[in-house]
């Protein structure tokens, strides 16, 4: 247990999020607008998150498929360490779990270091990345590190609202509910694949960015999955109800960067809070309404 904790803290330290020498930062008084005054890198030209504007995304047919290794097999239901670090709820895998990603544009295998969350104080924002300016209620980051020193890739999954609870998240949320502050460490057997979209193909957006928290280190490969995971308003309250009511950074300027994708994205269609795409349904309703008006006018005139 001690070794596990030590490993976790070391992993943490490599991300620069728990160094005692790091100046204080948060999401309120010392929030994202103040970060560049204290951390030079936070005003760099390759910062994260970004708005993924689908009309600017470049389809790259040469991108290899993304491989999410060992996440979805039974032997990954292993012991994790959950805690609240004062900024987010974060889970560290067992050092023996060897979860990793490869493929895409990655030149080597990247191993999972931690999983953590970004949320908002109401259900209509909370994500860090946006797609065509659409905000999502929750975003989870899977931080991976390569064998080469200081080489990171973050896999990002966005959540969408649905009317009913996503039963797959219940185990996780019961743990999240107990991580009230940084003094609580919980060991728990957890199947991390429940935080991934259920589709077999994992289409993705890819760009070069930074950590979204101070010191905002750049040179991070970002892989944002195109498919999302559903969650209900009630389930989200478990995040917004803890000691940090919101913890997302707004999208940063893209500058000269390119966003690649292994598929041809269509403009993001905003869905209603209950998961029903309102465009198609509403358009059909509007058409029927217009048709009724035409028929009524026709009958009145003749
Ligand atoms: Zn993050």
């Amino acid at each position: 247990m001690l070794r596990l904790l030590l490993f976790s803290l070391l992993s943490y330290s490599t991300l620069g999020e728990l160094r005692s020498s790091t100046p204080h930062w948060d999401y309120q008084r010392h929030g994202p607008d103040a970060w560049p005054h204290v951390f030079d890198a936070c005003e760099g030209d390759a910062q994260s998150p970004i708005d993924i504007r689908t009309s600017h995304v470049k389809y790259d047919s040469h991108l290899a498929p993304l491989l999410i290794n060992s996440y979805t097999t039974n032997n990954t239901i292993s012991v994790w360490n959950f805690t609240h670090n004062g900024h987010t709820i974060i889970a560290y895998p067992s050092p023996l779990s060897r979860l990793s990603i490869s493929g895409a544009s990655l030149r080597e295998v990247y191993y999972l270091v931690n999983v953590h969350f970004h949320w908002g104080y109401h259900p209509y924002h909370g994500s860090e990345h946006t797609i065509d300016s659409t905000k999502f209620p929750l975003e989870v980051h899977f931080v991976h590190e390569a064998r080469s020193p200081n080489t990171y890739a973050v896999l990002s999954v966005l959540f969408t609202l649905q009317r009913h609870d996503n039963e797959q998240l219940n185990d996780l949320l019961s743990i999240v509910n107990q991580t009230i502050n940084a003094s609580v460490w919980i060991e728990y057997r957890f199947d991390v694949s429940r935080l991934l979209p259920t589709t077999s193909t994992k289409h993705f957006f890819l760009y070069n960015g930074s950590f979204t928290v101070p010191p905002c280190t750049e040179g991070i490969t970002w892989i944002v999955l195109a498919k999302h995971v559903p969650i209900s308003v009630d389930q989200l309250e478990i995040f917004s109800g803890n000691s940090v009511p919101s913890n997302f950074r707004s999208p940063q300027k893209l500058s000269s960067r390119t966003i690649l994708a292994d598929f041809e994205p269509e403009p993001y269609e905003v869905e209603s809070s209950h998961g029903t795409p309102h465009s198609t349904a509403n358009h059909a309703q509007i058409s029927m309404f217009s048709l009724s008006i035409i028929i009524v006018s026709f009958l009145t005139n003749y």
Side-chain angles (χ1 to χ4, degrees):
M1 176 63 190
L2 186 63
R3 277 177 55 198
L4 200 62
L5 262 178
L6 196 60
F7 171 83
S8 301
L9 289 173
L10 283 172
S11 307
Y12 213 175
S13 182
T14 55
L15 298 182
E17 291 188 27
L18 198 68
R19 287 177 184 148
S20 55
S21 58
T22 304
H24 174 75
W25 60 270
D26 58 29
Y27 290 94
Q28 282 84 40
R29 191 150 174 261
H30 303 278
D33 290 346
W35 297 350
H37 300 292
V38 185
F39 305 93
D40 291 344
C42 295
E43 56 183 352
D45 287 328
Q47 287 289 289
S48 293
I50 56 165
D51 177 40
I52 298 172
R53 192 148 289 280
T54 52
S55 58
H56 293 168
V57 170
K58 193 172 156 221
Y59 167 50
D60 184 348
S61 59
H62 301 296
L63 276 173
L66 172 67
L67 301 176
I68 304 178
N69 310 306
S70 303
Y71 272 64
T72 50
T73 55
N74 283 336
N75 63 8
T76 62
I77 306 173
S78 58
V79 174
W80 292 68
N81 267 274
F82 284 80
T83 194
H84 193 310
N85 66 11
H87 303 301
T88 186
I89 291 153
I90 189 163
Y92 300 97
S94 155
L96 304 174
S97 64
R98 316 295 292 159
L99 303 183
S100 66
I101 55 173
S102 55
S105 69
L106 304 174
R107 295 212 177 103
E108 56 186 305
V109 177
Y110 286 64
Y111 294 94
L112 184 65
V113 176
N114 74 59
V115 179
H116 65 265
F117 301 85
H118 297 271
W119 60 84
Y121 49 80
H122 66 66
Y124 304 102
H125 70 168
S127 68
E128 300 212 291
H129 288 90
T130 55
I131 300 182
D132 290 337
S133 300
T134 300
K135 298 170 180 175
F136 298 83
L138 184 70
E139 179 167 347
V140 58
H141 290 160
F142 300 81
V143 181
H144 296 77
E145 186 176 14
R147 290 255 182 264
S148 310
N150 299 317
T151 310
Y152 294 97
V154 184
L155 176 67
S156 165
V157 176
L158 297 162
F159 285 65
T160 47
L161 287 178
Q162 73 175 14
R163 188 186 297 271
H164 52 275
D165 288 355
N166 177 354
E167 305 282 333
Q168 293 288 308
L169 300 178
N170 284 350
D171 287 355
L172 166 75
L173 295 177
S174 71
I175 297 304
V176 167
N177 209 19
Q178 295 170 53
T179 52
I180 299 162
N181 57 52
S183 65
V184 179
W185 282 83
I186 299 173
E187 272 194 1
Y188 187 69
R189 291 180 72 80
F190 172 60
D191 177 3
V192 72
S193 71
R194 294 182 174 192
L195 289 172
L196 295 173
T198 49
T199 49
S200 52
T201 48
K202 302 283 188 264
H203 285 313
F204 58 88
F205 301 102
L206 183 142
Y207 77 97
N208 178 38
S210 72
F211 283 131
T212 65
V213 297
C216 307
T217 312
E218 294 187 344
I220 311 295
T221 302
W222 277 91
I223 299 173
V224 180
L225 291 188
K227 292 290 181 192
H228 308 142
V229 174
I231 190 166
S232 73
V233 171
D234 286 348
Q235 289 180 311
L236 280 168
E237 282 177 8
I238 290 170
F239 291 95
S240 57
N242 77 77
S243 54
V244 175
S246 79
N247 65 354
F248 63 93
R249 186 188 198 193
S250 298
Q252 306 293 298
K253 55 185 184 299
L254 186 63
S255 301
S256 58
R257 289 177 287 174
T258 305
I259 309 170
L260 300 178
D262 68 335
F263 67 109
E264 294 189 73
E266 293 182 351
Y268 186 75
E269 192 172 77
V270 179
E271 297 186 353
S272 76
S273 61
H274 301 308
T276 311
H278 66 62
S279 58
T280 320
N282 285 0
H283 287 166
Q285 279 168 10
I286 289 165
S287 304
M288 285 305 289
F289 182 65
S290 312
L291 188 62
S292 312
I293 290 177
I294 292 168
I295 292 170
V296 168
S297 326
F298 181 82
L299 290 174
T300 352
N301 289 336
Y302 296 92

